[in-house]
Amino acid sequence: MALCLQCDEDKIVTGQGDSTIKIWDKSTLDVLNVLKGHTDSVWRLQYKKNVAISGAQDHTIKVWDIQTGQVINDLFHHKKPVLSLKFTADTLVTGSYDQTVAVWNMKSPTDIT
């Protein structure tokens, strides 16, 4: 079951209740890739070009290479599920059920502090 989604002209990206993220072809609705790494439901995601960032019920934030399906960064801050996230070219902001907000400096998808 899709819990969150984002789409563009070519693809649909969904965060799933089974802890995966699915990349769909928008025109055929074929699943192109399944990203595995979270251990609980994926509640939030955002992607731009070939990078996706997801937040999950497992309290973690993951940065993904959509092309390879690999996790390229794991971020740990929240003590409860991640309920919101938004990133720009240089900043990632996450919010959690633990009533905290984290602001991350995003130099690149692999260099986030």
Side-chain angles (χ1 to χ4, degrees):
M1 160 181 34
L3 301 176
C4 57
L5 64 88
Q6 183 182 342
C7 63
D8 61 20
E9 58 280 344
D10 301 320
K11 63 186 165 297
I12 302 167
V13 179
T14 60
Q16 302 290 127
D18 66 359
S19 76
T20 64
I21 297 168
K22 291 185 179 178
I23 314 298
W24 307 76
D25 180 287
K26 190 173 178 182
S27 62
T28 65
L29 297 181
D30 291 331
V31 175
L32 304 173
N33 204 352
V34 178
L35 313 183
K36 297 178 181 178
H38 282 292
T39 60
D40 211 333
S41 302
V42 178
W43 287 5
R44 294 294 176 262
L45 64 81
Q46 181 185 347
Y47 75 90
K48 188 170 187 168
K49 299 182 182 176
N50 290 324
V51 173
I53 301 179
S54 59
Q57 190 170 347
D58 64 8
H59 313 178
T60 66
I61 299 130
K62 294 192 180 292
V63 183
W64 306 84
D65 181 316
I66 291 178
Q67 294 291 82
T68 66
Q70 299 299 308
V71 174
I72 54 177
N73 208 332
D74 285 298
L75 305 174
F76 304 96
H77 173 80
H78 298 294
K79 305 297 182 214
K80 292 193 176 181
V82 179
L83 300 177
S84 57
L85 65 82
K86 178 75 175 174
F87 74 89
T88 61
D90 60 356
T91 305
L92 167 65
V93 179
T94 59
S96 169
Y97 190 70
D98 64 13
Q99 300 182 16
T100 65
V101 172
V103 179
W104 309 81
N105 182 12
M106 212 167 106
K107 296 176 187 168
S108 73
T110 57
D111 187 7
I112 302 173
T113 55

